[in-house]
């Protein structure tokens, strides 16, 4: 066999070299274009529900989440997923975790009854790190929650046993709370009926935590602040809440002065009592040798009680009158209805959520065209495909083409109607909102419940962001928390970027959400100066803001009085004797304040059932009806009249009070709440029933702008904003400490 040709061998070598080069190039390409596999998240997460996981359904539950990042820096979000929700209901908060960092945040979520557990996780892109499931404990029906805030858990256990011993476990669930557990959002305290601050380092509280406690009291919470040897440490974070402003302390041999609030003699043995001044408006419940042992004062709708001693001492725990003493503090006093209460139940046609949802759907620009116009279009269509089509085809002698012209004319008419409708109704986003602002007496707080309806002409996924910080959640006619219309990917983000992100919209549909937040009272209030004269309420209401308010009402103990609209700077005199209010002929629409005021005696126009037909009057009437009997102190009579109405009997003031109380003007110090009109603690375990003597007058009026707006580019915006300003007529001023009684002379050596 002849030897191989050298040329052939060279060609084979060149082909092999080319193949190797191609493989190398392909490897280089894939090396450049294929990203390296992402490293697994090196994040550790621990989630703990505050307050032992005890919660009241429909209240916000704070969950403390601690994160540590042992790897590269990462951005993500902490997610709390509500169990049993379909589609999933998720509350989130964004967080940045630099390399080797540790951070702690508080996430808020609402849980339904019998939630049991909740899942918390950290997500970054498609990766997630779950925390161990958190355990939740729902309060029993009719059971309140009392938190004992102390540094020492053993001391907290002693106090919780004393409270349960006085009221019983059916009345209260008690929990020991570390000072750091207090959340920075006031709605995170909504499950509590009362808080007892014992030997606790409240000075560690941030400004947000202090404001949260003050706002919770202003909305009706009961706060008890202890004194004793560590009065400085206990009171440092409470500011001007306690009615006793200690300046020193002294040691006493027993507390016989507590016999007035207990059974038998007072506790024996040495005790340390804080001494100082009582603030204006405070009432002594027990004193000893001229020193106030127990004093109370109203703060908004709530009450703050100062104890000059430490209730956790062995002297008090071993006292036979301890149960009677705790009951006299009346921690079981019913709280006012929460602002979200009318919107938390299931659906019925007259529920608060259904009525507000009707207002949100009532968009004037989306009203159906008038019947005559629909009839005219239908008549033209019939003429076009009938006689006109026939005459034209006959003129051209092409009647056989009718099977073509009739479908074509039908499509042309349908297309024309669609184009005209889209051009006039469906090119822009429409935002409709209903906001309710409740200002507590003395303008101590202003909480907002806001509801938004967003109509879009196109389908897609949208982020709905708020202009301010608030807690966002889904809303529908079924109530708060119903997430069925927003899609399975929506997330309710908290923090500076409060929003509903990833909400799903179909074409020409409306989606609804809700938000809870707080605003500056000075931006919304009127100057209200009211006092009591016998069975009458007299005084003035002045609008010192730069914008007009409309259709103002006074509401008190089931009665109401219109005082009209107020232009900027305008004032109206009040001389009102509350009397029975009867609803008129529109009882089938509902028997709330809106019906009584706007539709009694056949005045006004009954709201229609189609979008755009309710009008401003219908929007306001539905909003008032939604709040009647809960947030508003008005419940109209039923179809059958009850017994004769008795005007409220005003309880005489126990201490001298000014003739009127001014609500604060912007930039001025806020006034306080009365003590004479507040509930007097009783020794019974049965919760006291609110009476006219301890109810505030509610001043209702309408403003033009929503307090919490959405960052939505909308072609049309409609807003219904109700302000409920509460005031106790003749309340004493409560602000900068103004001593009305000196307890005792300072004693050297006190802490």
């Amino acid at each position: 066999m002849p030897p191989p040709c050298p040329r052939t061998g060279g060609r084979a070598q060149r082909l092999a070299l080319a193949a190797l080069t191609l493989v190398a190039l392909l490897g280089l390409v894939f090396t450049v274009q294929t990203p390296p596999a992402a490293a697994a998240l090196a994040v550790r997460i621990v989630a703990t529900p505050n307050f032992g996981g005890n919660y009241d359904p429909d209240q916000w539950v704070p969950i403390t989440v601690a994160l540590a990042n042992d790897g590269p820096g990462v951005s993500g979000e902490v997610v709390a997923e509500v169990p049993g929700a379909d589609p999933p209901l998720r509350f989130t908060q964004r967080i940045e975790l630099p390399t080797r960092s540790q951070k702690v945040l508080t996430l808020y979520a609402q849980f339904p009854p019998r939630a049991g557990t909740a899942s918390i996780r950290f997500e970054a892109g498609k990766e997630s790190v779950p925390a161990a499931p958190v355990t939740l404990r729902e309060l029993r029906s009719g059971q309140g929650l009392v938190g004992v805030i102390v540094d020492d858990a053993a001391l907290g256990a002693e106090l919780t046993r004393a409270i349960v011993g006085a009221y019983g476990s059916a009345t209260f669930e008690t929990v020991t709370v570390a000072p750091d557990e207090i959340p920075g959002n006031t709605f995170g305290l909504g499950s509590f009926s009362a808080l007892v601050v014992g030997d606790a380092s409240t000075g560690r509280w941030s400004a947000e935590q202090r404001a949260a406690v003050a706002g919770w009291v202003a909305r009706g919470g009961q706060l008890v602040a202890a004194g004793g040897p560590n009065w400085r440490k206990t009171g440092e974070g409470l500011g001007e809440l306690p009615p006793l402003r200690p300046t020193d302390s002294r040691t006493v041999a027993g507390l016989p002065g507590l016999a007035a609030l207990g059974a038998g003699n007072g506790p024996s043995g040495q005790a340390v009592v804080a001494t100082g001044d009582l603030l204006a408006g405070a009432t002594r419940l027990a004193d000893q040798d001229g020193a106030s042992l127990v004093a109370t004062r109203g703060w908004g709708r709530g009450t703050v009680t100062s104890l000059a001693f430490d209730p956790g001492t062995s002297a008090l725990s071993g006292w036979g009158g301890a149960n009677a003493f705790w009951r006299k503090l009346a921690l079981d006093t019913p709280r006012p209805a929460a602002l979200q209460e009318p919107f938390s139940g299931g659906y019925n046609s007259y529920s608060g959520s259904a009525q507000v949802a009707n207002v949100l759907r009532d968009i004037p620009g989306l009203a159906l065209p008038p019947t005559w116009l629909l009839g005219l279009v239908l008549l033209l269509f019939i003429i076009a495909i009938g006689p006109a089509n026939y005459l034209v085809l006959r003129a051209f002698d092409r009647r056989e083409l009718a099977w073509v012209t009739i479908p074509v004319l039908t499509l042309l008419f349908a297309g024309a109607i669609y184009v005209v409708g889209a051009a006039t109704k469906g090119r822009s986003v429409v935002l409709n909102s209903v906001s309710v602002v409740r200002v507590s007496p003395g303008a101590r707080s202003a909480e907002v419940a806001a509801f938004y309806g967003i109509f879009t002409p196109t389908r897609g996924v949208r982020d709905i962001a708020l202009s301010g910080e608030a807690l966002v959640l889904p809303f529908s006619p079924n109530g708060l928390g119903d997430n069925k219309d927003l899609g399975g990917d929506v997330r309710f983000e908290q923090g500076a970027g409060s929003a509903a992100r990833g909400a799903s919209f179909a074409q020409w549909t409306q989606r609804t959400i809700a938000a809870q937040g707080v605003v500056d009272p000075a931006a919304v209030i009127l100057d209200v100066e009211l006092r009591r004269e016998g069975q009458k309420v007299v005084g003035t209401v002045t609008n010192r803001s730069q914008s007009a308010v409309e259709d103002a009402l006074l509401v008190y103990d089931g009665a109401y009085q219109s005082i009209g609209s107020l232009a900027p700077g305008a004032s109206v005199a009040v001389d009102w004797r509350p009397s029975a209010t009867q609803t008129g002929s529109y009882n089938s629409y509902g028997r709330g304040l809106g019906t009584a005021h706007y539709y009694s005696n056949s005045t006004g126009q009954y709201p229609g059932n189609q979008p755009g037909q309710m009008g401003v009057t219908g929007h306001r009437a539905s909003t008032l009806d939604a709040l009647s009997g809960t947030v508003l102190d008005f419940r109209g009579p039923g179809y059958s009249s009850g017994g004769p109405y008795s005007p409220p009997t005003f309880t005489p003031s126990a201490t001298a009070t000014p003739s009127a109380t001014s609500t604060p003007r912007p930039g001025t110090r806020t006034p306080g709440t009365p003590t004479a009109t507040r509930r007097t603690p009783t020794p019974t375990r049965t919760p006291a029933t609110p009476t006219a003597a301890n109810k505030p007058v509610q001043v209702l009026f309408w403003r033009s702008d929503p307090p919490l707006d959405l960052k939505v580019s909308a072609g049309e915006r409609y807003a219904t904003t109700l302000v409920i300003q509460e005031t106790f007529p003749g309340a004493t001023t409560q602000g900068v400490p103004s001593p009305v009684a000196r307890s005792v002379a300072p004693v050297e050596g006190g802490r």
Side-chain angles (χ1 to χ4, degrees):
M1 179 179 293
C5 177
R7 180 177 297 179
T8 303
R11 180 182 299 173
Q13 291 177 354
R14 287 194 298 272
L15 289 175
L17 181 61
L20 290 173
T21 303
L22 179 60
V23 170
L25 289 174
L26 289 175
L28 179 62
V29 169
F30 281 107
T31 301
V32 173
Q33 293 186 351
T34 304
L41 292 175
V43 174
R44 292 173 285 126
I45 178 172
V46 176
T48 307
N50 294 29
F51 322 134
N54 291 283
Y55 78 101
D56 188 5
D58 303 320
Q59 297 289 346
W60 291 97
V61 179
I63 301 171
T64 299
V65 183
L67 302 106
N69 181 21
D70 300 325
V74 62
S75 300
E77 60 183 0
V78 178
V79 181
E81 187 162 328
V82 176
D86 184 23
L89 177 55
R90 305 181 184 96
F91 299 98
T92 69
Q93 190 172 143
R94 296 187 183 186
I95 188 171
E96 297 279 343
L97 291 175
T99 302
R100 302 208 174 274
S101 63
Q102 296 182 359
K103 290 189 177 182
V104 178
L105 60 81
T106 302
L107 191 63
Y108 302 87
Q110 286 196 0
F111 296 100
R114 300 177 296 278
T117 61
S119 62
I120 313 295
R121 61 184 179 270
F122 172 77
E123 291 186 357
K126 295 183 179 181
E127 293 190 89
S128 66
V129 179
V134 299
T135 301
L136 303 170
R137 301 176 58 194
E138 179 191 357
L139 297 175
R140 297 194 297 270
S141 177
Q143 188 182 44
L145 180 64
V146 176
V148 177
I149 306 174
V150 289
D151 291 333
D152 185 353
L155 175 60
E158 184 70 28
L159 286 174
T160 58
R161 282 193 295 269
I163 294 171
V164 171
Y167 292 93
S169 59
T171 301
F172 281 137
E173 176 71 39
T174 56
V175 60
T176 300
V177 179
D180 293 339
E181 282 189 73
I182 297 299
N185 189 305
T186 187
F187 298 111
L189 296 170
S191 293
F192 283 109
S193 300
L195 288 173
V196 178
V197 183
D199 188 357
S201 302
T202 63
R204 300 204 305 261
W205 286 349
S206 65
E208 291 77 14
Q209 289 173 302
R210 300 180 189 199
V213 173
W216 170 81
V217 176
R219 298 197 313 276
Q222 304 286 318
L223 179 68
V224 178
N230 295 326
W231 57 268
R232 280 194 178 91
K233 181 178 73 170
T234 301
E236 186 177 357
L238 297 178
E240 62 176 9
L241 284 173
L244 176 64
R245 180 60 56 87
T247 56
D248 215 322
S249 63
R250 71 174 183 177
T251 301
V252 297
L255 297 171
L258 291 183
L261 298 179
N265 298 323
S268 59
Q270 286 191 343
V272 177
V273 296
T275 60
D277 302 325
L278 289 183
L279 301 186
T283 299
R284 295 190 187 196
L285 301 181
D287 57 14
Q288 180 173 314
D289 299 329
S292 175
L293 292 181
V294 182
T296 186
R297 182 179 67 153
W299 180 276
R301 288 295 295 270
T303 302
V304 184
T305 301
S306 282
L307 307 180
F309 51 91
D310 184 353
T313 60
S314 57
L316 192 70
S317 60
W319 176 37
N323 285 352
F325 164 76
W326 282 108
R327 289 196 296 267
K328 286 275 183 86
L329 298 185
L331 301 182
D332 55 349
T333 300
R335 295 188 61 188
L339 194 54
Q340 74 272 18
E341 181 176 320
F343 315 105
S344 299
Y347 174 81
N348 69 69
S349 57
Y350 296 122
S351 67
S353 54
Q355 299 214 50
V356 167
N358 287 339
V359 175
L360 295 178
R361 287 194 296 261
D362 188 71
I363 300 175
L366 300 181
L368 291 176
T371 304
W372 66 266
L373 181 58
L374 293 175
L376 178 61
V377 171
L378 181 60
L379 178 62
L380 292 176
F381 173 70
I382 293 174
I383 292 174
I385 66 172
N389 182 44
Y390 173 78
L391 292 175
V392 171
L393 292 178
R394 190 181 70 172
F396 287 94
D397 196 21
R398 301 296 299 271
R399 287 187 292 269
E400 69 276 6
L401 295 180
W403 67 275
V404 175
T405 57
I406 290 177
V408 169
L409 288 172
T410 301
L411 291 175
L412 288 175
F413 259 86
I417 292 173
Y418 177 88
V419 170
V420 172
T424 58
K425 305 292 184 183
R427 287 186 177 274
S428 63
V429 174
V430 181
L431 173 61
N432 195 7
S433 67
V434 175
S435 303
V436 181
V437 185
R438 182 165 65 177
V439 183
S440 66
R444 295 298 184 183
S445 72
E447 58 175 323
V448 180
F451 307 88
Y452 307 95
I454 305 96
F455 174 88
T456 62
T458 57
R459 63 182 304 170
V461 176
R462 291 177 176 266
D463 291 342
I464 308 169
L466 269 73
S467 58
E469 187 171 342
L471 296 175
V472 187
L473 68 166
F475 173 73
S476 80
N478 295 322
L480 295 168
D482 183 8
N483 192 32
K484 290 184 173 57
D485 291 336
L486 295 171
D489 296 326
V490 66
R491 298 185 174 209
F492 298 92
E493 185 175 322
Q494 299 170 5
S498 301
R501 301 199 180 276
S504 177
F505 284 80
Q507 187 176 28
W508 289 335
T509 58
Q510 186 187 66
R511 297 290 183 255
T512 53
I513 63 171
Q516 283 183 269
V518 294
V519 295
D520 180 10
V524 296
I525 61 174
L526 300 177
D527 189 338
V528 179
E529 299 182 357
L530 299 178
R531 65 185 184 276
R532 293 166 175 163
E533 290 185 358
Q535 294 183 347
K536 294 199 302 182
V537 176
V538 299
T540 59
V541 177
T542 305
N543 179 14
R544 301 190 185 278
S545 70
Q546 300 300 313
S547 58
V549 301
E550 297 183 351
D551 209 1
L553 300 173
L554 302 178
V555 178
Y556 184 81
D557 197 38
Y560 80 95
Q561 174 69 41
S562 174
I563 58 175
S565 300
L566 285 83
S571 181
V572 61
V574 175
D575 188 352
W576 175 43
R577 184 179 186 272
S579 59
T581 302
Q582 297 290 334
T583 56
S585 59
Y586 287 99
N587 277 340
S588 60
Y589 173 59
R591 294 187 293 277
L593 178 58
T595 301
H597 177 53
Y598 290 105
Y599 299 114
S600 62
N601 301 321
S602 300
T603 59
Q605 181 180 357
Y606 185 78
N609 295 321
Q610 299 298 329
Q613 294 185 1
M614 293 178 68
V616 173
T617 297
H619 290 186
R620 293 178 178 179
S622 291
T623 303
L624 293 179
D625 282 347
L627 300 168
S628 295
T630 52
V631 174
L632 295 181
D633 190 15
F634 181 92
R635 188 185 299 274
Y639 293 101
S640 59
S641 60
Y645 177 85
S646 299
T649 301
F650 298 122
T651 303
S653 176
T655 58
T657 60
S659 60
T661 297
S662 299
T663 51
R665 303 173 187 175
T668 63
R669 174 173 52 84
T670 56
T673 54
T675 57
T677 60
R678 303 298 294 168
R679 166 197 44 78
T680 300
T682 59
T684 178
R685 290 174 58 181
T686 303
T689 301
T691 63
N694 58 20
K695 292 180 178 180
V697 173
Q698 296 177 315
V699 184
L700 279 56
F701 50 94
W702 304 90
R703 289 195 175 273
S704 58
D705 297 325
L708 292 174
D709 206 356
L710 293 185
K711 295 180 180 178
V712 173
S713 179
E716 299 176 67
R717 290 176 179 263
Y718 304 94
T720 302
T721 302
L722 171 67
V723 179
I724 306 170
Q725 183 174 338
E726 299 180 332
T727 181
F728 287 103
T732 57
T733 300
Q734 176 181 314
V736 175
S738 175
V740 296
R742 187 70 176 174
S743 298
V744 294
V747 177
E748 295 295 328
R751 289 189 293 173

